[in-house]
Amino acid sequence: MPTYDELSTHAVPGAAWDVFGPGDQLGSINLLTPQRVAAAARLIRRGTRFNLDYPMNAFEPYPTGTRRPTEHHVFANNPLHRDDWIDSFYLQSTSQLDSLRHIGHPAHGFYGGLSAEDNVEGSTALGIHHWAQAGIAGRGVLLDVPRHFAREGRPYDCEQTIALDETVLDAVAEAQGVTWQGGDMLLLRTGWAENYVAKNVEERIEFNTRNRSPGLAQRESVLRWLWDHEIALVAADNLAVEADPVLESDFRTADDRPPPRGVDHSGMLHRPLIALLGMAMGELWKLDDLARDCAADGVYDFFLTCKPLNLPGGVGSPPNALAIK
């Protein structure tokens, strides 16, 4: 594996497009080798399982206002039969996994050089089905940021923007006794999701007018840390994995302009992390129960599985994630 700094000499500086071979569709999921998966299975000691998905519509009204509630319909053809279907199923409206076709880079396009003109409805390039077919399983590691700040007696507010850089990641890992083995899947607990779902509808509407969140800092040093630690997947319990809103960034360009509609990704970590490094990202994962157990037994690594929908060309999917200790 080249280091992050060595990627600067590649045809597209800072991009990992040729690391896993031409036409690669898996990105960082390539790091989940059979040997690493088999080793991670030995982390199962008690057989205790933790669901890492929130229910559908758990985050309504959705903070960005871009995704509507899922509508679930049940019908019966006879008294002893039930069937159902779903309308308005936004695949990234609750716990989610972003595919590599989700976000592009303003200068270089989507992962592997896929152009915006070719990343259209009907295309299956970089779709979520590639990860569904490959399977996502391996060693998961939880970094519990709120508990770490509390142990150190430092103030922490999950309703404020707190940019977590590589020094924070290292400090939390060291305090928890975590070591990195390559091909690990990083779960970052910020406390944002459990705080949001505890609010009633009126409180959520008010909070959405001032929404802020802790998360990864928009720093090149964070990209370097994730790549050089060979992180196969990074997921968090907030809206974007990264700090929101973007306060300071290494990724803004002089010609950045807000889009005509939708979320403004200017300066966000999403662009280089997904489009250049091909890293799997998960958002709004349910980490509170797992974090509570890790704090109780002092064990912060576990066997982790994630099975996105086998939807050809899917842009995102519920992760269907499970941690087993």
Side-chain angles (χ1 to χ4, degrees):
M1 287 285 291
T3 66
Y4 178 80
D5 289 337
E6 288 170 342
L7 294 179
S8 65
T9 65
H10 287 206
V12 175
W17 295 354
D18 57 355
V19 171
F20 301 112
D24 175 54
Q25 299 287 301
L26 299 182
S28 61
I29 297 302
N30 282 289
L31 298 172
L32 298 174
T33 63
Q35 295 81 4
R36 285 170 168 170
V37 175
R42 293 193 285 271
L43 295 172
I44 302 175
R45 302 176 180 91
R46 303 181 346 238
T48 307
R49 301 172 299 280
F50 299 89
N51 162 50
L52 304 183
D53 286 34
Y54 278 100
M56 294 293 171
N57 294 334
F59 297 95
E60 288 302 322
Y62 198 77
T64 64
T66 55
R67 294 158 184 159
R68 298 190 300 272
T70 298
E71 301 173 6
H72 181 213
H73 308 276
V74 178
F75 70 96
N77 288 327
N78 60 66
L80 298 180
H81 166 266
R82 299 294 181 273
D83 209 331
D84 57 356
W85 81 94
I86 283 178
D87 285 328
S88 186
F89 184 15
Y90 283 71
L91 296 165
Q92 295 163 285
S93 63
T94 182
S95 302
Q96 64 192 260
L97 188 67
D98 295 339
S99 79
L100 295 182
R101 70 178 299 191
H102 176 48
I103 293 292
H105 189 278
H108 305 296
F110 293 81
Y111 181 73
L114 179 69
S115 69
E117 291 75 21
D118 291 328
N119 190 5
V120 294
E121 186 173 4
S123 170
T124 60
L126 306 180
I128 201 77
H129 65 291
H130 294 291
W131 288 341
Q133 292 168 5
I136 298 175
R139 180 180 185 242
V141 174
L142 175 77
L143 295 186
D144 192 339
V145 177
R147 279 190 172 87
H148 176 73
F149 275 61
R151 280 193 302 266
E152 293 201 329
R154 298 166 59 187
Y156 184 86
D157 185 350
C158 65
E159 295 191 0
Q160 297 299 319
T161 306
I162 304 173
L164 308 171
D165 62 15
E166 73 283 0
T167 64
V168 176
L169 301 179
D170 284 335
V172 178
E174 182 179 3
Q176 294 179 176
V178 166
T179 57
W180 304 99
Q181 299 177 5
D184 300 317
M185 291 182 276
L186 168 61
L187 306 186
L188 185 71
R189 176 176 175 256
T190 69
W192 188 94
E194 58 208 73
N195 178 67
Y196 191 83
V197 299
K199 296 178 182 293
N200 61 38
V201 173
E202 291 74 19
E203 290 170 334
R204 292 182 183 189
I205 292 172
E206 185 279 327
F207 176 68
N208 289 344
T209 65
R210 56 178 178 85
N211 177 38
R212 297 178 181 274
S213 169
L216 294 179
Q218 288 83 10
R219 292 282 178 267
E220 188 176 36
S221 57
V222 171
L223 289 183
R224 181 179 293 105
W225 189 97
L226 293 168
W227 179 262
D228 288 347
H229 281 74
E230 296 187 21
I231 299 299
L233 178 153
V234 56
D237 60 349
N238 62 7
L239 277 171
V241 178
E242 54 191 292
D244 184 36
V246 179
L247 299 181
E248 298 180 13
S249 174
D250 290 341
F251 311 115
R252 292 196 188 277
T253 61
D255 56 351
D256 268 341
R257 297 290 185 275
R261 62 176 179 169
V263 176
D264 183 3
H265 293 96
S266 300
M268 289 185 66
L269 201 63
H270 266 61
R271 287 176 170 178
L273 196 58
I274 295 177
L276 298 187
L277 296 185
M279 189 162 291
M281 292 183 71
E283 300 160 354
L284 296 175
W285 285 31
K286 188 178 189 303
L287 303 180
D288 51 341
D289 293 335
L290 175 63
R292 193 175 301 111
D293 188 84
C294 291
D297 69 3
V299 177
Y300 288 85
D301 61 349
F302 37 83
F303 189 66
L304 177 64
T305 67
C306 175
K307 184 60 171 69
L309 295 175
N310 195 356
L311 175 64
V315 176
S317 169
N320 301 307
L322 193 68
I324 312 175
K325 294 183 71 175

